[in-house]
């Protein structure tokens, strides 16, 4: 059985930055978890939904049984040695065994762009349901964390320079003279392919630059220049991470940002202790691919249509288009969807600063109050919009599929654990329903 | 220079490139006085008469539990390797239709497979952004699997296509979603050359297919999502020898003509084209005329092509389950393998001709492979 899990990230958002040319997005604010890290990435927002496609295992078993009969109907087999026959039979038996074993594994695919939180979910699952990370693995993240530090400070410094050139109130982005020297040096380091080790001296310099008011101003407009999420977190711990005996903590590892290539996969069972009752899940993350999704997405499902990403559309609208498209696919007719509105903590922050109505889809939004109430209200509004879309795009024959919306913060372990348990329960209930037992 | 100025210059440069390209296209159009079909007509060539008994399905290979994506014949000994969505490579004995090997891949998302020239190894590539090499003579482990002999990593995107250099099992060419092609030394795992990437004459979108010239293994052609096919000289990685325009959609498949002077392409625009390597011109378009009122968005795309050993026949598989056999000289479809008895039930995703040209194998999304042999008085075409 195959499931699809899309991850919705930062939910409102504007301008997709595809090339090194930065578009001025000041009139389009975005609620956003921070920038997408590497300039030139393709962004693709995603919805987390869990889909179940039709089970093919019974058909497979039948065809394997039939195979034996079919072979003999064809042209007379040359009297090949008994050995070849035996080997072939052995292979067929193994394939059948593997197919039955796989039937019990629920496969979940996480689709999403960088920065939507997929790798974080992977790490969380390792921590929650597997043995987590051992010391050697924790240490292996040190170069990644150091790299993140260099990359962050470079982005901030270069960003400040650019704002100083182009912004109307440019003076506040001008870095002080002493810090300029540091800045140029760090910018050069950050631009290299291989980063040096983060020593105490370098850490001190970085901290000095970080404390420059110009840099802090630039940080406040971080979404324009793609400052990574982990910026604040690592910058506040510079001393710790540059220590010679530094061993990253689990939280550090969760924040560390590395680009995944290929397909990452992880197998786990939510009900760890009692394996018999718990379903076994296998999670795949193909988000590292920065290319034409339509050329490989069929590996996961049966659809062949192309979904074009328009560079001029804003990310929320793309999410809307993708969700709409996915809902209409015939192969997902009986599929349940669970929408994870991720990075909720960031949403909370931004919802109070920028009105929702700026996003085209939410233009009929009216703020009612302020503070926590406002955040809740805004969230409910977004939720309602997705629900409307879901019902609009689902024909009458699709009534028996389930649609649920959850809010998540991939970095919050408790929340992830709770969410996965909920997902697991829902899926198991569906399975029981289908088997006619409920 | 400010950002705004950079943008302006960028736009001006793009406009200049586009207008130059348009002029090139028009010039080529002017030079094209004839196409292959037109010429054959003047020579009085008639289409081959082909009846449905001339090419029959003589074997159906079953065993995959997922869609078949790719297949390759071994250069001798009549074996076929196929890759499927179920994450397995299966090696078949084409004559007896028995499975000789079934390899469960470490990364299930496989998109391509290839047989080595000596028939001892198979290569596969896919979403893991690398190419795995398996030696078929290796001992199988407890789970019955063959371990990976070598993993060629270095691509930054999925590997869509791979092929061993003819008669040379130490070299392999791969095409990838990261817009580059790479020539590898299999024994060391090193990248010998990267075609495209930072170099301006490389593809500007995912590379979907490659084909090495059988007569001159230093040349190969690649087809890409940027609607072009590019010819490369393996010795010169810095620029493509030539870029072939003409298609209006992703070029999904490219295949060299048997004599190595031409190559065919198949695309999302539903057409196959034949290009000449020496002049860089398009020789012929092979396309079914659309019925009136057909929604162009539903027109079938070409998924895979192959030439018969003389080149007279072009086999083209489409996404709607059809598999047309085109007479390349006359430009007519002489047979549709998708409509005969015992044909595939789903889209045909790959096809390939055996080394001696006596059989065609097709792989489909219906999870089977079929071997078609020339019947009647024809042994080879």
């Amino acid at each position: 059985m195959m499931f699809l899990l899309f991850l919705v990230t930062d939910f409102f958002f504007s301008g997709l930055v595809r090339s090194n040319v930065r578009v001025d997005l000041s009139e389009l604010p975005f609620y956003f978890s921070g920038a997408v890290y590497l300039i030139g990435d393709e962004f693709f927002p995603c919805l987390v939904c869990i889909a179940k496609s039709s089970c093919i295992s019974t058909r497979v078993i039948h065809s394997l049984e039939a195979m034996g009969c079919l072979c003999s109907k064809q042209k007379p087999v040359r009297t090949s040695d008994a050995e070849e026959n035996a080997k072939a039979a052995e292979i067929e038996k193994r394939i059948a065994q593997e197919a039955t074993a796989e039937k019990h594994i629920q496969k979940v695919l996480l689709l999403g762009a960088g920065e939507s939180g997929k790798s974080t979910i992977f790490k969380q699952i390792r921590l929650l349901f597997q043995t987590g990370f051992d010391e050697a693995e924790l240490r292996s993240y040190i170069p990644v964390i150091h790299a993140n530090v260099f990359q962050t400070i470079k982005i901030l410094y270069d960003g400040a320079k650019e704002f100083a050139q182009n912004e109307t109130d440019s003076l506040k982005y001008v870095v002080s003279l002493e810090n300029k020297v540091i800045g140029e040096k760090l910018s050069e380091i950050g631009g290299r392919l291989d980063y040096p080790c983060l020593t105490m001296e370098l850490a001190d310099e970085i901290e000095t630059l970080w404390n420059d008011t110009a840099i802090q101003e630039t940080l406040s407009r971080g979404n324009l220049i793609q400052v990574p999420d982990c910026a604040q977190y690592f910058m506040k711990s510079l001393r710790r991470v540059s220590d010679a005996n530094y061993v990253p903590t689990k939280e550090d590892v969760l924040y560390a940002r590395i680009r995944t290539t290929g397909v990452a996969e992880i197998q786990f069972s939510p009900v760890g202790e009692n394996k018999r009752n718990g379903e076994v899940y296998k999670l795949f993350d193909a988000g590292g691919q920065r290319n034409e999704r339509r050329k490989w997405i069929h590996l996961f499902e049966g659809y062949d249509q192309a979904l074009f990403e328009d560079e001029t559309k804003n990310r929320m609208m793309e999410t809307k288009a993708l969700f709409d498209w996915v809902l209409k696919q015939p192969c997902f007719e009986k599929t349940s969807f669970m929408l994870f509105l991720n990075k909720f903590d960031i949403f909370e922050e931004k919802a109070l600063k920028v009105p929702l109505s700026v996003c085209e889809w939410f233009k009929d939004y009216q703020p009612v109050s302020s503070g926590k109430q406002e955040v809740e209200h805004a969230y409910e509004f977004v939720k309602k919009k997705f629900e409307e879309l879901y019902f609009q795009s689902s024909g009458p024959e699709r009534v028996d599929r389930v649609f649920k919306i959850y809010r998540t913060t991939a970095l919050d372990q408790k929340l992830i654990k709770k969410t996965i348990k909920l997902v697991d329960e829902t899926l198991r209930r569906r399975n029981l329903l289908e088997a006619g037992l409920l | 220079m400010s950002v705004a100025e950079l943008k302006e210059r960028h736009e001006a440069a793009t406009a200049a490139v586009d207008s130059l390209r348009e002029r090139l296209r028009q010039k080529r159009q002017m030079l094209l006085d004839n196409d292959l079909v037109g010429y054959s007509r003047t020579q009085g060539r008639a289409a081959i008469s082909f009846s449905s008994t001339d090419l029959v399905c003589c074997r159906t290979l079953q065993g995959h539990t997922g869609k078949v994506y790719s297949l390759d014949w071994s250069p001798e000994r009549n074996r076929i390797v196929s890759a499927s969505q179920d994450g397995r490579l299966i090696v078949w004995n084409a004559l007896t239709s028995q499975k000789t090997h079934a390899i469960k891949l470490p990364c299930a998302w496989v998109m391509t497979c290839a047989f080595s020239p000596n028939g001892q190894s198979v290569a596969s590539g896919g979403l893991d952004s690398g190419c795995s090499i398996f030696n078929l003579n290796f001992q199988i482990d407890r789970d019955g699997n063959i371990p990976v002999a070598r993993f060629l990593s270095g691509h930054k995107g999925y590997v869509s296509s791979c092929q061993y250099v003819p008669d040379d099992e130490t070299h392999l060419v791969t095409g990838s979603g990261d817009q580059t092609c790479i020539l590898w030394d299999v024994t060391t795992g090193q990248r010998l050359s990267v075609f495209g990437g930072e170099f301006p004459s490389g593809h500007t979108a995912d590379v979907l297919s490659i084909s090495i010239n059988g007569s001159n293994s230093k040349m190969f052609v690649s087809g890409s999502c940027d609607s072009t096919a590019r010819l490369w000289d393996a010795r010169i990685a810095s620029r493509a020898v030539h870029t072939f325009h003409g298609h209006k959609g992703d070029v999904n498949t490219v295949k060299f003509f048997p004599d190595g002077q031409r190559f065919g392409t198949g695309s999302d625009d539903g057409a196959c084209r034949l290009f000449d390597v020496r002049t860089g011109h398009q020789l012929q378009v092979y396309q079914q005329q659309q019925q009136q009122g057909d929604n162009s968005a539903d027109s079938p795309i070409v998924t895979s092509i192959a030439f018969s050993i003389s080149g007279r026949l072009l086999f083209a598989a489409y996404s709607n389950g059809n598999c047309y056999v085109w007479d390349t000289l006359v430009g007519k479809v002489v047979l549709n393998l998708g409509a005969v008895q015992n044909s595939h039930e789903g889209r045909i995703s790959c096809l390939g001709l055996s080394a001696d040209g006596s059989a065609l194998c097709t792989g489909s999304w219906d999870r089977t492979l079929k071997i078609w042999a020339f019947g009647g008085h024809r042994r080879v075409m």
Side-chain angles (χ1 to χ4, degrees), chain A residues 4 6 109 111 294 297-298 300-305 325-326 329 331-332, chain B residues 67 365:
Chain A
L4 259 186
F6 289 112
L109 167 66
L111 268 189
R294 64 199 158 90
I297 198 70
H298 57 81
F300 297 99
E301 284 307 313
Y303 43 80
D304 342 325
Q305 270 178 300
W325 178 72
V326 161
Q329 294 308 300
C331 55
F332 293 138
Chain B
K67 305 182 226 176
W365 281 15

Short mmCIF file of all heavy atoms in Angstrom, two decimals, chain A residues 4 6 109 111 294 297-298 300-305 325-326 329 331-332, chain B residues 67 365:
data_model
loop_
_atom_site.label_atom_id
_atom_site.label_comp_id
_atom_site.label_asym_id
_atom_site.label_seq_id
_atom_site.Cartn_x
_atom_site.Cartn_y
_atom_site.Cartn_z
N LEU A 4 0.79 8.88 0.22
CA LEU A 4 1.42 10.10 -0.22
C LEU A 4 1.36 11.12 0.89
O LEU A 4 0.31 11.36 1.47
CB LEU A 4 0.60 10.69 -1.35
CG LEU A 4 1.13 10.46 -2.74
CD1 LEU A 4 0.24 11.24 -3.67
CD2 LEU A 4 2.53 11.00 -2.89
N PHE A 6 2.29 14.97 1.60
CA PHE A 6 2.81 16.23 1.11
C PHE A 6 3.01 17.16 2.28
O PHE A 6 2.23 17.15 3.21
CB PHE A 6 1.77 16.91 0.20
CG PHE A 6 1.58 16.25 -1.11
CD1 PHE A 6 0.40 15.61 -1.40
CD2 PHE A 6 2.57 16.28 -2.06
CE1 PHE A 6 0.22 15.01 -2.61
CE2 PHE A 6 2.38 15.69 -3.29
CZ PHE A 6 1.19 15.06 -3.57
N LEU A 109 5.04 8.83 1.21
CA LEU A 109 5.95 9.68 0.46
C LEU A 109 5.82 11.12 0.91
O LEU A 109 4.73 11.66 0.96
CB LEU A 109 5.63 9.58 -1.03
CG LEU A 109 6.30 10.63 -1.92
CD1 LEU A 109 7.80 10.43 -1.92
CD2 LEU A 109 5.76 10.55 -3.32
N LEU A 111 6.49 14.80 -0.04
CA LEU A 111 6.88 15.63 -1.17
C LEU A 111 7.00 17.06 -0.73
O LEU A 111 6.12 17.56 -0.04
CB LEU A 111 5.79 15.57 -2.25
CG LEU A 111 5.90 14.53 -3.34
CD1 LEU A 111 4.85 14.81 -4.38
CD2 LEU A 111 7.27 14.55 -3.99
N ARG A 294 7.54 16.18 -12.75
CA ARG A 294 6.63 15.37 -13.56
C ARG A 294 7.34 14.20 -14.23
O ARG A 294 6.71 13.26 -14.67
CB ARG A 294 5.96 16.24 -14.62
CG ARG A 294 6.93 16.82 -15.61
CD ARG A 294 6.33 18.01 -16.32
NE ARG A 294 7.36 18.85 -16.87
CZ ARG A 294 7.85 18.73 -18.08
NH1 ARG A 294 7.37 17.80 -18.87
NH2 ARG A 294 8.81 19.50 -18.52
N ILE A 297 7.64 11.62 -10.90
CA ILE A 297 6.59 11.43 -9.92
C ILE A 297 5.80 10.15 -10.18
O ILE A 297 5.28 9.52 -9.26
CB ILE A 297 5.66 12.68 -9.86
CG1 ILE A 297 4.87 12.67 -8.57
CG2 ILE A 297 4.74 12.74 -11.05
CD1 ILE A 297 5.72 12.94 -7.35
N HIS A 298 5.76 9.72 -11.43
CA HIS A 298 4.99 8.52 -11.76
C HIS A 298 5.60 7.27 -11.12
O HIS A 298 4.95 6.24 -11.04
CB HIS A 298 4.90 8.32 -13.28
CG HIS A 298 6.23 8.26 -13.94
ND1 HIS A 298 6.99 7.13 -13.96
CD2 HIS A 298 6.95 9.19 -14.60
CE1 HIS A 298 8.12 7.38 -14.61
NE2 HIS A 298 8.11 8.62 -15.01
N PHE A 300 6.05 6.99 -8.14
CA PHE A 300 5.33 6.82 -6.89
C PHE A 300 3.84 6.58 -7.09
O PHE A 300 3.20 5.95 -6.28
CB PHE A 300 5.51 8.07 -6.02
CG PHE A 300 6.94 8.27 -5.63
CD1 PHE A 300 7.75 9.17 -6.29
CD2 PHE A 300 7.49 7.53 -4.59
CE1 PHE A 300 9.07 9.34 -5.92
CE2 PHE A 300 8.81 7.70 -4.23
CZ PHE A 300 9.60 8.60 -4.89
N GLU A 301 3.27 7.12 -8.12
CA GLU A 301 1.85 6.91 -8.34
C GLU A 301 1.59 6.67 -9.82
O GLU A 301 2.48 6.61 -10.62
CB GLU A 301 1.07 8.14 -7.90
CG GLU A 301 0.93 8.24 -6.41
CD GLU A 301 0.37 6.98 -5.79
OE1 GLU A 301 -0.64 6.45 -6.30
OE2 GLU A 301 0.93 6.50 -4.81
N GLY A 302 0.32 6.63 -10.15
CA GLY A 302 -0.01 6.32 -11.52
C GLY A 302 -0.31 7.50 -12.42
O GLY A 302 -0.74 7.33 -13.54
N TYR A 303 -0.03 8.71 -11.98
CA TYR A 303 -0.45 9.80 -12.85
C TYR A 303 0.65 10.26 -13.81
O TYR A 303 1.81 10.15 -13.53
CB TYR A 303 -0.96 10.99 -12.04
CG TYR A 303 -0.17 11.37 -10.83
CD1 TYR A 303 0.99 12.11 -10.91
CD2 TYR A 303 -0.64 11.02 -9.57
CE1 TYR A 303 1.68 12.48 -9.79
CE2 TYR A 303 0.04 11.39 -8.44
CZ TYR A 303 1.20 12.12 -8.55
OH TYR A 303 1.87 12.48 -7.44
N ASP A 304 0.24 10.72 -14.96
CA ASP A 304 1.20 11.20 -15.94
C ASP A 304 1.06 12.67 -16.27
O ASP A 304 1.75 13.18 -17.12
CB ASP A 304 1.07 10.50 -17.31
CG ASP A 304 0.33 9.23 -17.23
OD1 ASP A 304 0.48 8.54 -16.20
OD2 ASP A 304 -0.39 8.89 -18.17
N GLN A 305 0.18 13.36 -15.61
CA GLN A 305 0.02 14.75 -16.02
C GLN A 305 1.14 15.63 -15.52
O GLN A 305 1.74 15.36 -14.52
CB GLN A 305 -1.29 15.30 -15.46
CG GLN A 305 -2.44 15.09 -16.41
CD GLN A 305 -3.70 15.59 -15.79
OE1 GLN A 305 -4.09 15.10 -14.74
NE2 GLN A 305 -4.32 16.55 -16.40
N TRP A 325 -5.26 19.78 -7.80
CA TRP A 325 -4.92 18.81 -8.82
C TRP A 325 -4.88 17.40 -8.25
O TRP A 325 -5.42 16.45 -8.80
CB TRP A 325 -3.57 19.20 -9.41
CG TRP A 325 -3.02 18.30 -10.42
CD1 TRP A 325 -3.45 18.14 -11.71
CD2 TRP A 325 -1.91 17.43 -10.27
NE1 TRP A 325 -2.67 17.23 -12.35
CE2 TRP A 325 -1.71 16.78 -11.49
CE3 TRP A 325 -1.05 17.15 -9.20
CZ2 TRP A 325 -0.70 15.86 -11.69
CZ3 TRP A 325 -0.04 16.24 -9.39
CH2 TRP A 325 0.12 15.61 -10.63
N VAL A 326 -4.23 17.29 -7.09
CA VAL A 326 -4.09 15.98 -6.46
C VAL A 326 -5.46 15.41 -6.08
O VAL A 326 -5.74 14.24 -6.27
CB VAL A 326 -3.19 16.10 -5.21
CG1 VAL A 326 -3.39 14.93 -4.30
CG2 VAL A 326 -1.74 16.20 -5.61
N GLN A 329 -7.27 13.70 -9.00
CA GLN A 329 -6.69 12.54 -9.67
C GLN A 329 -7.51 11.29 -9.44
O GLN A 329 -7.86 10.97 -8.33
CB GLN A 329 -5.26 12.28 -9.15
CG GLN A 329 -4.29 13.37 -9.51
CD GLN A 329 -4.32 13.68 -10.97
OE1 GLN A 329 -4.06 12.84 -11.80
NE2 GLN A 329 -4.67 14.91 -11.29
N CYS A 331 -6.60 8.28 -9.42
CA CYS A 331 -5.96 7.28 -8.57
C CYS A 331 -6.08 7.59 -7.10
O CYS A 331 -5.80 6.76 -6.26
CB CYS A 331 -4.49 7.10 -8.95
SG CYS A 331 -3.55 8.60 -8.92
N PHE A 332 -6.50 8.80 -6.76
CA PHE A 332 -6.66 9.13 -5.35
C PHE A 332 -8.11 9.16 -4.91
O PHE A 332 -8.44 9.72 -3.88
CB PHE A 332 -6.05 10.51 -5.06
CG PHE A 332 -4.56 10.54 -5.21
CD1 PHE A 332 -3.93 11.60 -5.82
CD2 PHE A 332 -3.79 9.49 -4.74
CE1 PHE A 332 -2.57 11.63 -5.97
CE2 PHE A 332 -2.42 9.52 -4.88
CZ PHE A 332 -1.81 10.58 -5.51
N LYS B 67 5.24 -1.44 -12.55
CA LYS B 67 5.38 -1.04 -13.95
C LYS B 67 6.82 -1.23 -14.41
O LYS B 67 7.75 -0.97 -13.67
CB LYS B 67 5.06 0.45 -14.11
CG LYS B 67 3.72 0.87 -13.59
CD LYS B 67 3.52 2.36 -13.86
CE LYS B 67 2.99 3.05 -12.63
NZ LYS B 67 2.87 4.47 -12.75
N TRP B 365 3.69 -0.65 -18.70
CA TRP B 365 3.16 -0.36 -17.38
C TRP B 365 2.19 -1.44 -16.92
O TRP B 365 1.74 -1.41 -15.78
CB TRP B 365 2.48 1.03 -17.37
CG TRP B 365 3.48 2.14 -17.27
CD1 TRP B 365 4.82 2.07 -17.49
CD2 TRP B 365 3.22 3.51 -16.95
NE1 TRP B 365 5.41 3.30 -17.32
CE2 TRP B 365 4.45 4.20 -16.97
CE3 TRP B 365 2.06 4.21 -16.62
CZ2 TRP B 365 4.56 5.56 -16.70
CZ3 TRP B 365 2.17 5.58 -16.34
CH2 TRP B 365 3.42 6.24 -16.39
#
